[in-house]
């Protein structure tokens, strides 16, 4: 499926650091409720450890980017985001980018590497999904409960402002439909030829280790898994030093 970019490039917010001429650029792809600010200083730390340039952006509907240009999220929205990323790579004139994606961002990274393998040098994912599981739905239903009964909405409004409700329900409503239960991106995995580091917390509340196993066994590039005990869905926040170490080792190894 080839899609057209639905937004203008000036409608997304970008944070870019080019401190290391001639070195690769690492692109960070946020999760389903994330944005540039919620990465904190993590991208910069990896950039320093690897002497790579970094680029982080808010997808449409998130953070400081514009509101969604559609009323209902498409079943193929992550593939559409991968197609947009491909166009952004051309616009930014980036060749052989390294993708670091968390959750939805991880899935988008995998799709991009599968659809546009010649443009991607390496992929790191955290808590990426390639299909929907019961634990995924249960985790989202718990998030919906928290959104309705706790200050979760207020916390998210700090980063997403007036777009918060639309952003949250675009995720929660889409993933809990009967139609989306059949969503699956495993078809892209055999087309991935670059090395990948697949990270997941052993206690991830949104996916089982079957996600990692299927990614590792189906990609054609050299894939390495990092499963972390006593960690949930956000390893780079729960065990940041470990992720910085393993991610930087992986990235530095791409040059060997």
């Amino acid at each position: 499926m080839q899609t057209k970019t639905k937004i203008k490039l000036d409608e997304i917010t970008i944070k870019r650091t080019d401190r290391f001429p001639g070195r690769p650029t690492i692109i960070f792809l946020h999760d389903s409720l994330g944005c540039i600010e919620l990465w904190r200083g993590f991208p910069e730390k990896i950039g320093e450890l690897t002497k790579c340039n970094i680029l982080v952006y808010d997808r449409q509907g998130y953070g400081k980017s514009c509101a969604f240009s559609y009323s209902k999220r498409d079943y193929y929205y992550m593939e559409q985001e991968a197609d947009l990323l491909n166009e952004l790579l051309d616009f930014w004139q980036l060749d052989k980018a390294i993708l670091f994606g968390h959750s939805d961002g991880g899935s988008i990274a995998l799709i991009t590497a599968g659809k546009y393998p010649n443009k991607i040098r390496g992929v790191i994912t955290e808590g990426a999904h390639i299909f929907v599981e019961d634990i995924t739905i249960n985790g989202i239903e718990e998030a919906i409960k928290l959104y309705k009964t706790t200050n979760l909405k207020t916390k998210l409004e700090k980063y997403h402002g007036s777009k918060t409700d639309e952003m949250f329900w675009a995720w929660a409503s889409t993933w809990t439909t009967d139609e989306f239960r059949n969503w699956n991106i495993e078809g892209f995995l055999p087309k991935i030829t670059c090395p990948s580091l697949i990270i997941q917390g052993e206690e991830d509340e949104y996916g089982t280790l079957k996600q990692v196993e299927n990614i590792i066994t189906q990609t054609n590039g050299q894939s390495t898994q990092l499963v972390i005990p006593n960690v949930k869905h956000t390893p780079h926040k729960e065990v940041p030093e470990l992720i910085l170490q393993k991610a930087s080792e992986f990235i530095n190894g791409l040059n060997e």
Side-chain angles (χ1 to χ4, degrees):
M1 175 184 176
Q2 178 68 44
T3 58
K4 294 183 179 179
T5 305
K6 291 188 174 182
I7 65 174
K8 297 177 182 178
L9 295 175
D10 60 2
E11 291 180 337
I12 62 172
T13 302
I14 300 162
K15 179 180 180 182
R16 185 173 185 179
T17 303
D18 288 313
R19 293 185 52 208
F20 305 103
R23 294 286 294 153
T25 295
I26 308 169
I27 300 177
F28 291 83
L29 305 167
H30 63 72
D31 63 293
S32 54
L33 301 179
C35 62
I36 290 172
E37 285 188 70
L38 284 168
W39 281 108
R40 312 297 185 193
F42 184 78
E44 289 83 356
K45 290 177 180 177
I46 286 191
E48 284 293 334
L49 288 168
T50 60
K51 298 296 184 286
C52 286
N53 303 302
I54 64 167
L55 194 155
V56 196
Y57 68 97
D58 290 335
R59 297 193 294 276
Q60 187 191 60
Y62 295 86
K64 291 183 171 59
S65 286
C66 70
F68 292 123
S69 59
Y70 48 85
S71 57
K72 185 178 184 298
R73 177 169 271 180
D74 195 289
Y75 182 86
Y76 299 100
Y77 77 96
M78 280 184 272
E79 186 175 351
Q80 292 167 350
E81 291 291 351
D83 290 335
L84 171 62
L85 177 53
N86 172 58
E87 294 190 27
L88 292 173
L89 290 171
D90 289 340
F91 177 76
W92 292 322
Q93 297 183 319
L94 292 177
D95 186 32
K96 298 295 184 183
I98 300 166
L99 305 181
F100 189 120
H102 173 225
S103 195
D104 266 20
S107 302
I108 293 165
L110 292 171
I111 296 171
T112 306
K115 291 192 75 170
Y116 309 102
N118 294 332
K119 295 184 178 182
I120 308 303
R121 187 172 192 166
V123 170
I124 302 173
T125 68
E126 285 186 317
H129 293 94
I130 54 173
F131 51 82
V132 182
E133 300 179 279
D134 288 340
I135 189 175
T136 316
I137 303 304
N138 293 339
I140 295 171
E141 288 177 345
E142 179 61 23
I144 291 172
K145 180 180 176 182
L146 294 174
Y147 191 76
K148 290 180 175 179
T149 61
T150 71
N151 66 344
L152 175 59
K153 179 179 177 180
T154 302
K155 289 181 177 179
L156 290 172
E157 284 176 334
K158 178 180 177 182
Y159 304 100
H160 305 287
S162 60
K163 301 187 297 295
T164 301
D165 246 2
E166 190 177 15
M167 178 272 304
F168 181 86
W169 291 111
W171 167 64
S173 296
T174 301
W175 277 77
T176 51
T177 60
D178 290 339
E179 179 190 22
F180 201 77
R181 195 60 194 254
N182 296 320
W183 174 83
N184 188 300
I185 61 168
E186 288 177 283
F188 295 106
L189 299 181
K191 302 171 186 177
I192 297 176
T193 55
C194 66
S196 59
L197 173 62
I198 311 302
I199 304 169
Q200 185 160 317
E202 205 168 51
E203 305 301 323
D204 192 322
E205 63 271 41
Y206 292 103
T208 71
L209 296 181
K210 187 69 174 173
Q211 304 278 349
V212 176
E213 179 185 329
N214 283 24
I215 296 171
I216 292 290
T217 57
Q218 293 184 63
T219 54
N220 277 313
Q222 182 179 354
S223 297
T224 304
Q225 70 176 46
L226 175 61
V227 176
I228 313 168
N230 304 313
V231 166
K232 294 186 176 181
H233 191 57
T234 318
H236 71 274
K237 291 184 178 179
E238 298 172 63
V239 284
E241 294 306 319
L242 176 63
I243 302 306
L244 286 169
Q245 176 195 343
K246 297 297 185 181
S248 60
E249 286 176 355
F250 170 79
I251 292 168
N252 289 329
L254 294 175
N255 301 316
E256 294 176 356

